Amino acid sequence: MNLSEKTVENVEYMIEQIKEKLKVLNLGAIKPSHFDEDMYEELKEIYEMVMKKPSFSPNEMQALVEELGNLRKK
């Protein structure tokens, strides 16, 4: 997958991968449809950071979910 392109498919892919890695319990809380390409670069930065780390503390998970919340469409 070429994540250098700002596409809806890439947004969906990154969100799904982040959810899987963080083991988000409330899967409905974070949906790809909540995000658009305007926040692509910020979302990609979060995705890359999440994929690099092997695990997360509860505080880190909370911060990541809050940051994703800040990127949601208004």
Side-chain angles (χ1 to χ4, degrees):
M1 178 155 282
N2 182 2
L3 295 178
S4 64
E5 297 177 27
K6 294 181 181 181
T7 66
V8 172
E9 292 80 15
N10 284 347
V11 169
E12 290 174 0
Y13 174 80
M14 288 189 292
I15 292 297
E16 292 303 323
Q17 292 299 307
I18 290 169
K19 285 172 32 177
E20 190 173 309
K21 180 85 179 227
L22 295 179
K23 296 176 177 65
V24 175
L25 297 177
N26 185 356
L27 297 177
I30 302 174
K31 294 182 181 177
S33 62
H34 293 159
F35 302 88
D36 60 27
E37 292 138 51
D38 292 341
M39 297 296 187
Y40 190 83
E41 292 305 318
E42 293 87 343
L43 181 59
K44 187 175 176 197
E45 286 177 22
I46 293 171
Y47 166 79
E48 289 172 347
M49 191 217 23
V50 166
M51 293 300 120
K52 286 180 187 174
K53 288 192 66 155
S55 63
F56 299 89
S57 72
N59 287 342
E60 288 174 318
M61 289 179 66
Q62 175 80 25
L64 287 166
V65 170
E66 286 177 13
E67 189 59 33
L68 287 171
N70 291 337
L71 295 179
R72 288 174 65 150
K73 293 181 202 176
K74 302 294 185 228

